[in-house]
Amino acid sequence: MKFELLTLPYADNALEPVISAETIAFHHGKHLAGYVSTLNTLIEGTEFAEASLEEIVKKSEGPIFNNAGQLLNHNLYFTQFAPNAGGKPTGKLLAAIEAKWGSFEAFQAEFLTACTTLFGSGWAWLACDAEGNLEITKEANGSNPVVRGLKPLMGIDVWEHAYYLSYQNRRADHVKDVWNIIDWNVVAERY
């Protein structure tokens, strides 16, 4: 199976000022494109040549795992945003968040802590188990909650390439602003 670069469901500048067109150009157009190209090269002629992306992430290691993980992560990441989105979820997802954390605001606070306390590069995720129980995970580098048997619902990339052009070393400020572009309908569909 040959993987392709995700076509963004919005214009490069649609998420400004939270994510600039310049950041999209580098993050999607260079970083993600690189992961796609490298993964396709690495899996050619291997047991993973016809595997799904999630299957590769669950079963591989080393460079194949790193590139597959980053491809899976970024596909989920870029498709969870929309211009003029934000707010908070509704329905079953909001009820589950409130049951777990007491309030949406308490969830946001714990998620921000996960993002800002992850040392180095990686991802913070809202994920659920097979019964729908929610948890926040911190994944180093290109890992994803699927390696823990969880379903990723929403993830924030805390690698510097995701925010540095606009936010420099202000990771927390970036994460706080990202809430304004989360498309909770997409996240709820994953739940």
Side-chain angles (χ1 to χ4, degrees), residues 28 54 70 98 108 111 116 141 157 182:
H28 175 266
E54 282 194 13
Q70 286 292 55
E98 290 173 340
Q108 285 180 301
F111 199 89
T116 56
N141 299 314
D157 187 344
I182 297 290

Side-chain angles (χ1 to χ4, degrees), residues 70-82:
Q70 286 292 55
L71 179 53
L72 176 59
N73 291 350
H74 283 91
N75 284 350
L76 293 166
Y77 174 80
F78 283 117
T79 56
Q80 73 188 1
F81 298 134

Side-chain angles (χ1 to χ4, degrees), residues 7 19 41 47 50 61 65 73 76 88 103 110 112 124 164 180 183:
T7 300
I19 301 177
T41 300
E47 64 184 290
E50 298 301 320
E61 54 187 35
F65 172 80
N73 291 350
L76 293 166
K88 62 183 183 180
S103 71
E110 187 171 324
L112 176 63
Y164 207 83
N180 296 317
D183 185 340

